[in-house]
Amino acid sequence: MNNFEKSIQGKMQGREIQPSASAWERLSSQLDAQEQKKKRGWFFYIGYAASILLLVSLFFFMNEEGDNETAIPENTIVKDDFKIPETNQPKEIELLPSETDVIVENRNDKLPVKSKSIEPFEEVKTDSRVAFKKENKNKVDKALKKTTIIPLKNEIVIAETTIDVDKNIKSTPKLKRITNSTISVDSDALLYAVTHSKEEIRSYYEKYKVSRSDVLKRIEKELKRSNLKIDPNTILAEVERDVKEESFQNNFYRFIKKRVSDVAVAIANRNN
Amino acid sequence: MKIIPLHTSQKSIINRAIQHNREAQKEIFELHSPKMLGVCRQYVKDNHHAEDLMLSGFLKVFTHLHKFKHEGSFEGWIRRVMINTCLSYLRKKNPIKPTDEEYVYHDYATENLESTSVDDIQKLIDGLPEGYKMVFNLFAIEGYKHNEIAEELGITVSTSKSQLFKARKWLQENYRKMNLISKGHE
């Protein structure tokens, strides 16, 4: 550095220029703006972090729920005996132990029947073809008595009455556990029991010299003609359920033919 | 009368300023701003522009105040921040084009500037081309070495030397012209 530069340095290095009066105010406002930006930035980062955390936890929460859902089928127990009965199989009447009503279920109709009194059974309209007979009240009582109710802790075990079509009524002590506290009674068995007894039908056949096997063959023939794939035994059971002495007195086979055509019409209506 | 040691007082002010204490910041500003405005004025031609650069420099000072380790001069640290602010601004405005030309050193500067006012010297410096001005200010006024200037401006040492040589020659010639004009007026 020569003299020229040294003399410039000496004059310029310690030089002072007074800033304007508003200089500090301007700087102060700039500092305020910067601090606010910093604070806002901090809050924004916290906000972003919280949002990301929320999304991640939601994602895991949903995944866990999904896993639980998939785990459910592993714990389900499939009961083979919980099948819906076929049309030719006897149906059940559900008795609710907590209530006094008995629900008589046949096809789609449900009618309440009080278990204490036998009177409501007169109101049961299970099918237009099934006529209820007052004289068979005692038989209903018997049928209900056959239905034994065995309480087991909180569950109710009931002996189910089923119908064997060929052998008329047969009580099968088939134990069934009902966890939802309902009592099931076979509706067909009950209806059959309130209309005819095995002996009564047999007496009709003997009295009017009608062979049961012939009747069965006739039904089978009529079913073939009507192009219906129904077990003839089922139809015979239906016929025997509704049959009256007058039917035997008149033309019994015409009565059977009418029953088969009625069934055909009923099936056609149901399909529609 | 209570005497508070200067360095203790300065340290406490700096610490309060770090905590965004506006009073402490104002105190630092009022103490150093006249000198710093003088520094900034060396690089730009008018006071308003220099003040803007100075405020920008003080904003950096207060933002990075926690980085000051109390090892050197606080004024020197602020001064360096101001110079860097001015250089950044000038480099953005007019990028330096380094010219690696050889130069031969001749000592033309024999004149004594004792009788020349600060304003006249500033006018001379203001007339320097930007590249010459930066090197001259850093070398002659701030006392930087050529390697420091080269590092600061991103040029080679020889470029820094050649720029200084040209700046010196330009100033001497213009100083003589200025003296002749003033003598002529008299």
Side-chain angles (χ1 to χ4, degrees):
Chain A
M1 197 184 289
N2 59 28
N3 291 334
F4 179 76
E5 285 151 11
K6 276 179 185 167
S7 59
I8 288 177
Q9 188 185 42
K11 287 203 178 261
M12 300 303 287
Q13 206 172 33
R15 183 185 52 166
E16 290 186 0
I17 303 169
Q18 205 58 38
S20 65
S22 65
W24 167 247
E25 295 303 319
R26 284 164 64 199
L27 179 64
S28 183
S29 63
Q30 282 180 30
L31 284 166
D32 286 342
Q34 198 180 50
E35 279 165 23
Q36 274 184 356
K37 201 178 171 183
K38 267 191 176 181
K39 278 182 186 174
R40 197 180 61 178
W42 185 76
F43 277 114
F44 276 162
Y45 284 127
I46 291 290
Y48 285 136
S51 307
I52 289 163
L53 201 69
L54 188 74
L55 284 171
V56 168
S57 40
L58 265 175
F59 175 75
F60 279 109
F61 180 71
M62 298 292 274
N63 267 12
E64 271 187 22
E65 270 197 350
D67 290 347
N68 287 344
E69 278 172 13
T70 52
I72 288 167
E74 290 171 18
N75 298 327
T76 49
I77 299 158
V78 179
K79 288 182 180 176
D80 289 331
D81 58 347
F82 195 69
K83 284 176 183 172
I84 299 163
E86 290 172 19
T87 50
N88 60 351
Q89 284 179 342
K91 296 191 175 178
E92 295 177 346
I93 292 172
E94 287 190 352
L95 296 174
L96 303 174
S98 56
E99 297 170 14
T100 54
D101 291 346
V102 173
I103 305 299
V104 179
E105 188 184 314
N106 193 357
R107 302 206 174 145
N108 293 328
D109 300 323
K110 285 185 180 178
L111 291 165
V113 180
K114 284 183 182 175
S115 61
K116 283 179 182 174
S117 165
I118 211 72
E119 287 300 315
F121 278 99
E122 290 177 334
E123 296 166 22
V124 173
K125 292 174 185 175
T126 53
D127 194 301
S128 60
R129 292 165 295 167
V130 179
F132 186 80
K133 291 181 179 179
K134 276 191 176 180
E135 61 263 24
N136 289 326
K137 275 181 187 175
N138 294 333
K139 290 167 190 172
V140 174
D141 276 332
K142 281 178 187 173
L144 283 171
K145 277 173 186 172
K146 282 179 185 174
T147 306
T148 53
I149 298 168
I150 307 156
L152 182 69
K153 290 179 183 174
N154 292 329
E155 295 175 339
I156 293 164
V157 179
I158 183 166
E160 202 176 82
T161 309
T162 57
I163 294 172
D164 188 326
V165 177
D166 289 331
K167 295 171 185 174
N168 294 330
I169 302 170
K170 182 187 172 187
S171 286
T172 312
K174 188 179 172 185
L175 288 176
K176 187 181 176 184
R177 282 186 179 186
I178 303 161
T179 49
N180 59 356
S181 303
T182 58
I183 301 167
S184 298
V185 177
D186 189 292
S187 62
D188 283 351
L190 185 65
L191 282 167
Y192 199 87
V194 299
T195 52
H196 292 290
S197 68
K198 190 180 173 185
E199 288 74 27
E200 198 178 1
I201 294 294
R202 199 174 288 166
S203 69
Y204 283 145
Y205 282 132
E206 282 170 6
K207 192 177 175 182
Y208 293 96
K209 292 176 183 174
V210 177
S211 165
R212 198 172 182 275
S213 59
D214 285 348
V215 172
L216 202 64
K217 279 178 184 172
R218 190 63 177 258
I219 291 168
E220 204 173 336
K221 199 178 168 185
E222 290 296 327
L223 285 169
K224 274 184 182 176
R225 193 182 290 170
S226 306
N227 201 21
L228 292 171
K229 287 178 182 176
I230 301 170
D231 186 3
N233 288 317
T234 312
I235 301 295
L236 183 58
E238 286 276 317
V239 169
E240 286 177 344
R241 194 185 298 164
D242 297 353
V243 77
K244 297 171 187 175
E245 195 168 355
E246 296 91 67
S247 307
F248 283 93
Q249 282 170 359
N250 299 323
N251 194 339
F252 184 64
Y253 287 109
R254 194 184 291 166
F255 176 74
I256 287 168
K257 197 176 174 180
K258 192 177 178 298
R259 294 298 298 142
V260 172
S261 66
D262 284 349
V263 168
V265 169
I267 288 168
N269 288 339
R270 195 173 61 176
N271 289 342
N272 288 335
Chain B
M1 190 178 162
K2 196 178 178 182
I3 297 167
I4 303 164
L6 186 67
H7 69 276
T8 312
S9 172
Q10 182 184 270
K11 199 170 180 177
S12 115
I13 292 168
I14 292 168
N15 287 337
R16 281 191 289 128
I18 290 169
Q19 303 300 319
H20 308 289
N21 183 304
R22 201 60 89 234
E23 286 301 312
Q25 287 174 338
K26 190 179 181 183
E27 210 171 319
I28 291 168
F29 177 79
E30 285 177 347
L31 184 67
H32 298 283
S33 60
K35 237 175 212 180
M36 297 309 139
L37 186 56
V39 171
C40 293
R41 179 63 185 83
Q42 290 165 24
Y43 297 88
V44 288
K45 288 176 185 176
D46 70 282
N47 282 1
H48 293 295
H49 198 173
E51 195 172 279
D52 287 344
L53 281 173
M54 181 198 70
L55 293 180
S56 177
F58 268 107
L59 198 64
K60 283 180 188 172
V61 165
F62 292 130
T63 309
H64 302 281
L65 200 53
H66 60 279
K67 291 178 184 172
F68 179 65
K69 303 293 177 195
H70 301 277
E71 286 166 356
S73 153
F74 183 51
E75 190 190 303
W77 186 78
I78 296 174
R79 198 181 181 101
R80 208 172 175 92
V81 173
M82 294 295 159
I83 291 165
N84 285 338
T85 305
C86 293
L87 292 178
S88 301
Y89 166 76
L90 291 172
R91 279 160 70 177
K92 272 184 193 170
K93 194 181 161 195
N94 291 314
I96 297 161
K97 292 171 186 170
T99 48
D100 286 334
E101 56 188 74
E102 290 298 316
Y103 83 102
V104 183
Y105 180 75
H106 298 286
D107 191 3
Y108 295 104
T110 50
E111 291 88 354
N112 196 334
L113 300 175
E114 285 301 316
S115 58
T116 314
S117 70
V118 173
D119 287 342
D120 286 340
I121 293 169
Q122 184 63 62
K123 275 180 191 172
L124 266 176
I125 294 170
D126 286 345
L128 274 170
E130 292 292 338
Y132 298 174
K133 195 197 286 180
M134 280 193 276
V135 175
F136 182 81
N137 280 338
L138 292 173
F139 184 86
I141 300 169
E142 306 301 337
Y144 282 40
K145 304 275 183 279
H146 279 296
N147 60 338
E148 289 172 326
I149 296 166
E151 196 181 335
E152 194 75 51
L153 300 179
I155 55 174
T156 62
V157 172
S158 60
T159 306
S160 173
K161 284 178 180 174
S162 74
Q163 298 283 310
L164 177 68
F165 170 75
K166 287 172 186 174
R168 188 182 285 151
K169 194 181 173 183
W170 189 96
L171 283 170
Q172 285 174 339
E173 283 172 4
N174 282 275
Y175 178 70
R176 280 191 204 109
K177 283 179 193 171
M178 192 172 74
N179 276 346
L180 286 171
I181 292 163
S182 62
K183 278 174 187 172
H185 280 294
E186 285 168 6

